[in-house]
Amino acid sequence: MQHQVREPLDGVVYPSAERLRRYVEAGALTQTTLVEALGESFRRNASRVALSAPEGNLTYAELDRLTDGIATGLLDLGLRPLDRVLFQVANSRDAISAFLACLKSGLIPVCTLAAHREKEIEYLGQHVGARAHVVQGDDPKFDLQAFALQMKSRIPSMAHVLSVRGEPRQGVVRLEDLATAADPAAAAVALAAVPRDPFQVALFQLSGGTTGVPKAIPRFQNDYLLNATLNAEWMDFRESDVLFMPMPMIHNAAMVCFWLPSLLAGAEFAIPTDMTPQAWGHVFRQRRPTFIGLIRALLPRLDAMLDQGLGDLSRVRGAWAPDAARLLREKYGLVAQPMFGMSEGLNMYCRPDDPEEARDWTVGAPISKWDEVRLIDSATGREVEVGEVGELTCRGPYTLNGYYKSPERNKEAFTPDGFYRSGDLMVQREIEGRVFYSFAGRTRDTVVRGHEKINCEELEAGVSTHPSISACAVVGMPDPVLGERVCAFVVLRHEATAPTILEMGAHLQKQGFAKFKWPERIEVIEAIPLTKVGKLDKTPLRKAIQERILAEQPGTETRA
């Protein structure tokens, strides 16, 4: 039985043969590749709707034929299995089709974002030795085709610029044209010859964060299959489900938590045209989702859709909500599951029938019994006690073993015995005899008011339950006496009025928040700023409040 990769790629840190043997013999990792598992689902669910979008629906059989044609066309261009392909596309059914075609042809997608520009794309293209660059051909805000042609001259390995949607420029190959030119019989023969290795890299995801160039994370065929399968099991995805998750589809959260599990389960994945309440409302009226995935920063859009009568939640039976599960339960009456996840691997979930205390105050437990979790003191490496805050470290069958070609970063990111150091703070809690984990922020996502440390995540959840507020981001504002005080940036619900400091204090008091945690300033903003991967970005908020406080000081001159 195979326990190691057949053709190792230079710069990829593979799990040891000993660990792989343990995972395979235990049944955690299989000898099946992600693409083979998808193929089986496509055949099993041939007549069902796989992807729905305003431009039309695709059944599993239609998606299978379409991606076969594109995959064969990619090989006909001279691309070869294990070549790397940069993906820079917005959400659409065509983006998923192109991605699946790469998997079928043995190419390795590199999951960049439509918002990335010269700094990220040039670095990543050179770093992974990309041979092709897939872009969206009809982006109304930015000419990605022209951009990709420009980047081609800066990335020595780059051979092809490919597009989905829109009309191709000179020098750009349209993937839809490859699909129509393919002969089904020839495609079947060509794709049958593509090597399949369950221990080989399937794709590169990117590390998160708000600064620096992202690192490439190799995710393997059977580890990504395991990750997606476990997500589907923990959320109980069914063939009858219609799933809605509007975050960037080429990012790990949407991919491994939603549309890949959806396709493996035989469900329908519904795609809106854009992020407006109107586009969301169209999906909710036409496809009537049964399971949704939202982070707290996106709730203002949901509020707007509901407040304007554009759609309703009448068929929604469940929700994936990393940082907003209690909010979704209390404000909308939904069965919402808190979770924690990272592009590097480890996922944690609560189940709907877990104790209420766990669902309200934790992110759950690891989804695989082979996930190993330790909380350590970041300075000493000492494992902390139950109830004590510590840095999350982990290893397991689907968790990163090392960033691609990043030996110096890997020295910092892993403990001597191979546990990944996440930089996330957590607390281990025992509830009704079971172990759960509570997220306690990042190492610096706290406000230090005097000698008291205030967890921003906890306070944001409390502020967001106010009936006038859709979303909140808490930051520290400079104070000459206490060092920092609490400022809450809030997004108001449609036609709502911002609460006063006293009103917010009374609201938090009812929830049991200590007075030192209450916001001492409330600033109204139109939207919560997000990073390029759709996560909360507090950097501009910290800068804004510092500038406002400085401008308000006596003697400060304001220039027009």
Side-chain angles (χ1 to χ4, degrees), residues 161-491:
V161 174
L162 312 169
S163 73
V164 295
R165 306 170 68 88
E167 292 301 319
R169 283 174 169 263
Q170 184 175 357
V172 177
V173 175
R174 189 171 181 264
L175 291 184
E176 292 92 327
D177 294 336
L178 296 181
T180 57
D183 173 69
V189 172
L191 297 182
V194 174
R196 305 294 179 197
D197 185 343
F199 300 95
Q200 187 54 275
V201 178
L203 61 143
F204 284 109
Q205 282 290 354
L206 300 186
S207 62
T210 58
T211 60
V213 179
K215 301 293 187 291
I217 301 167
R219 299 301 304 265
F220 305 107
Q221 289 280 345
N222 57 5
D223 94 45
Y224 217 55
L225 172 60
L226 172 65
N227 200 176
T229 301
L230 288 171
N231 273 283
E233 291 175 356
W234 276 75
M235 288 186 282
D236 188 27
F237 287 165
R238 310 165 187 173
E239 288 183 353
S240 57
D241 275 327
V242 177
L243 308 181
F244 176 82
M245 203 278 202
M247 291 172 65
M249 293 191 317
I250 304 301
H251 184 247
N252 187 68
M255 187 179 296
V256 83
C257 295
F258 267 82
W259 65 260
L260 275 176
S262 176
L263 294 178
L264 290 168
E268 174 185 335
F269 186 72
I271 306 167
T273 52
D274 53 47
M275 294 291 279
T276 62
Q278 290 73 23
W280 287 20
H282 179 81
V283 172
F284 276 80
R285 291 192 307 274
Q286 298 298 317
R287 307 310 302 175
R288 304 190 68 197
T290 60
F291 207 106
I292 63 175
L294 294 173
I295 59 174
R296 189 170 64 243
L298 295 179
L299 294 187
R301 291 180 173 87
L302 183 66
D303 285 338
M305 182 191 81
L306 297 173
D307 291 344
Q308 297 172 39
L310 301 172
D312 62 62
L313 305 177
S314 59
R315 287 197 69 222
V316 177
R317 68 173 184 84
W320 172 97
D323 58 353
R326 185 176 183 182
L327 206 59
L328 285 170
R329 289 196 298 272
E330 293 181 352
K331 292 182 75 171
Y332 309 103
L334 297 178
V335 177
Q337 294 176 241
M339 68 86 63
F340 167 87
M342 59 175 79
S343 297
E344 285 80 1
L346 178 71
N347 286 173
M348 297 184 184
Y349 276 91
C350 271
R351 295 189 188 275
D353 59 353
D354 280 337
E356 183 177 345
E357 181 182 354
R359 289 182 287 114
D360 282 352
W361 298 107
T362 81
V363 294
I367 60 176
S368 169
K369 68 179 182 179
W370 291 97
D371 287 325
E372 299 174 77
V373 172
R374 293 177 186 165
L375 304 186
I376 66 170
D377 182 293
S378 297
T380 66
R382 171 186 64 86
E383 191 165 355
V384 303
E385 301 295 331
V386 174
E388 186 180 351
V389 175
E391 181 186 359
L392 170 68
T393 68
C394 55
R395 69 180 180 186
Y398 61 93
T399 292
L400 174 76
N401 301 280
Y403 293 103
Y404 180 66
K405 289 187 177 180
S406 300
E408 294 305 313
R409 172 64 182 130
N410 289 338
K411 289 178 184 178
E412 302 172 350
F414 292 87
T415 64
D417 52 353
F419 279 70
Y420 172 66
R421 299 188 60 163
S422 69
D424 296 294
L425 298 176
M426 288 203 172
V427 178
Q428 182 177 313
R429 303 178 63 174
E430 292 184 5
I431 302 173
E432 297 184 10
R434 296 163 56 194
V435 173
F436 295 89
Y437 293 86
S438 293
F439 184 70
R442 297 286 293 175
T443 53
R444 290 184 293 179
D445 193 18
T446 57
V447 175
V448 183
R449 187 183 187 276
H451 295 289
E452 301 288 353
K453 291 185 178 179
I454 300 166
N455 184 304
C456 294
E457 180 90 5
E458 176 192 24
L459 184 55
E460 287 161 356
V463 171
S464 296
T465 61
H466 191 282
S468 295
I469 293 174
S470 279
C472 167
V474 168
V475 300
M477 56 183 178
D479 182 81
V481 176
L482 295 173
E484 287 185 310
R485 293 181 186 268
V486 175
C487 176
F489 284 87
V490 301
V491 178

